[in-house]
Amino acid sequence: MNIRPNVYVTRMLPEAAIDLLAAHCDVEVNPEDRVLERVELLEKVKGRDAVISLLTDTIDDEILVAAGPQCKIFANYAVGFNNIDLSAATKRGVVITNTPDVLTDATADLAWTLLFATARRVVEAEKFLRDGKYQGWGPMLLLGLDVTGKTLGIIGSGRIGSSFASKAKGFNMKVVYNDIAANPEFEAATGGVFTDKERLLQQADFVSLHVPLLPSTHHLMSDKEFSLMKKTAILINTSRGPVVDEKALARALKNGEIWGAGLDVFENEPAVDPDLLECANTVLLPHVASATIETRTNMGLIAVRNILNIFSGKPPITCVNPAVLQAE
Ligand code: DGY
């Protein structure tokens, strides 16, 4: 690389990633631990050769224009890239990359954390103890639901759905799954059986969502879907909040149509629907599925390597709009 690209990073990332970037580029990092306001982002991207953006930054045509025609890449620090107008980026010749694979297991692990925490009422039980209410063992105290041997319903059979489902083997669970088409790789890895969405919702004791946010997956789970689920079923969502109609979910929980929900993502983050907050049978986490030291470091390193590759004349590792590269 004979130039030092000018790179903006919209929020502090793990040190190893920033150090690698700074060894090769002129770097400015948003020094404040908060999402930039729109006007700030518009100003900060101006004249940059590359930007590391987050899922909380909306990257649309206006931002790409503000960055300028010299800007070659927006490296998104997430596997999801629904915050980016991909067709605008492709039209303007800007490479967009994401951070797949390195967060697959961490996200699947957190989906399991939510599943167990909800089924066994872990958060409620811990609060009960800390509140000084524990008076001794009780036969009816905080009864939850069995996990081992139950039926796991997976919607979305990609990398994370597959990792999540393959971990069910240890719990001797039957796996059913749904996607736009049957996925032989998923079946080989998990033993899962392709099932239409309605039957999956009727059969599954746990329904876990692993789809990207697209117009076709917006409110994939709403009133009709909850009405099909077992009254003892639990919904897990570690994908994107708008995949679930939050108002409909709160109604289903309050009316006892389903037993519980474990959620890491919300429709209007960081806001959480007040109706959901009122439901005791939920475990609600602040979008931390990939939040481990190792995973967040690896996500940063991939974002940086994508940038370094672009400026060394190599293909980026994880480009999500490869049409841009073909056009070159
Ligand atoms: C992603 O990478 O899309 C995750 O939601 C971040 O935690």
Side-chain angles (χ1 to χ4, degrees), residues 55 77-82 99 103 107 238-240 264-265 287-291 296 299:
L55 59 90
Y77 183 74
V79 66
F81 44 89
N82 52 288
T99 62
L103 49 64
T107 305
T238 51
S239 63
R240 284 290 181 264
D264 184 47
V265 286
H287 203 151
V288 289
S290 66
R296 289 283 166 87
M299 287 166 66

Side-chain angles (χ1 to χ4, degrees), residues 254-267:
K254 283 190 177 161
N255 299 339
E257 283 180 73
I258 68 170
W259 198 81
L263 309 175
D264 184 47
V265 286
F266 302 91
E267 264 199 271

Side-chain angles (χ1 to χ4, degrees), residues 23-321:
H24 303 276
C25 307
D26 292 335
V27 182
E28 184 184 342
V29 182
N30 167 14
E32 292 179 57
D33 191 21
R34 65 174 175 85
V35 179
L36 291 174
E37 299 290 341
R38 176 81 180 168
V39 280
E40 295 174 307
L41 186 59
L42 281 165
E43 190 54 35
K44 284 295 183 187
V45 297
K46 261 187 205 158
R48 308 291 179 173
D49 300 311
V51 175
I52 298 187
S53 55
L54 309 185
L55 59 90
T56 41
D57 302 318
T58 299
I59 308 301
D60 55 15
D61 200 46
E62 193 187 14
I63 295 283
L64 298 168
V65 170
Q70 79 300 328
C71 186
K72 296 246 176 319
I73 172 170
F74 272 68
N76 209 42
Y77 183 74
V79 66
F81 44 89
N82 52 288
N83 58 308
I84 300 185
D85 183 340
L86 216 56
S87 60
T90 306
K91 193 181 78 197
R92 298 209 176 269
V94 178
V95 168
I96 303 296
T97 60
N98 67 341
T99 62
D101 301 321
V102 290
L103 49 64
T104 297
D105 281 316
T107 305
D109 292 352
L110 191 95
W112 277 104
T113 308
L114 281 170
L115 189 153
F116 273 103
T118 312
R120 299 303 301 268
R121 301 171 63 181
V122 170
V123 177
E124 205 183 330
E126 212 250 5
K127 183 167 186 312
F128 175 87
L129 182 142
R130 283 185 194 271
D131 287 350
K133 295 181 181 161
Y134 178 42
Q135 302 294 319
W137 185 86
M140 300 305 285
L141 181 61
L142 289 158
L143 302 187
L145 294 172
D146 279 343
V147 172
T148 296
K150 293 270 183 85
T151 297
L152 189 60
I154 311 285
I155 302 188
S157 64
R159 288 173 289 241
I160 298 171
S162 181
S163 167
F164 176 75
S166 63
K167 295 174 202 286
K169 285 177 193 150
F171 298 107
N172 197 23
M173 296 173 94
K174 176 180 173 195
V175 176
V176 290
Y177 79 101
N178 181 259
D179 208 324
I180 44 177
N183 179 342
E185 260 178 58
F186 177 92
E187 290 173 17
T190 68
V193 177
F194 187 75
T195 309
D196 67 56
K197 188 177 150 200
E198 285 200 358
R199 276 198 301 157
L200 179 148
L201 294 171
Q202 286 162 347
Q203 288 174 11
D205 297 298
F206 303 96
V207 174
S208 191
L209 306 176
H210 300 283
V211 292
L213 177 60
L214 300 167
S216 58
T217 59
H218 182 262
H219 284 190
L220 185 80
M221 296 295 295
S222 190
D223 289 304
K224 176 175 156 248
E225 286 72 22
F226 295 124
S227 73
L228 291 170
M229 287 171 70
K230 294 182 181 178
K231 289 197 176 356
T232 51
I234 288 175
L235 176 76
I236 304 298
N237 190 13
T238 51
S239 63
R240 284 290 181 264
V243 170
V244 175
D245 177 346
E246 245 167 48
K247 289 270 176 225
L249 174 60
R251 274 194 296 275
L253 287 164
K254 283 190 177 161
N255 299 339
E257 283 180 73
I258 68 170
W259 198 81
L263 309 175
D264 184 47
V265 286
F266 302 91
E267 264 199 271
N268 301 298
E269 291 175 19
V272 178
D273 194 296
D275 291 344
L276 265 186
L277 288 171
E278 279 174 18
C279 298
N281 41 348
T282 55
V283 176
L284 310 175
L285 298 181
H287 203 151
V288 289
S290 66
T292 70
I293 295 165
E294 300 94 325
T295 295
R296 289 283 166 87
T297 300
N298 288 330
M299 287 166 66
L301 291 174
I302 290 199
V304 169
R305 287 195 183 113
N306 276 316
I307 291 175
L308 299 184
N309 274 16
I310 288 282
F311 291 100
S312 314
K314 295 185 204 142
I317 316 162
T318 56
C319 179
V320 294
N321 59 343

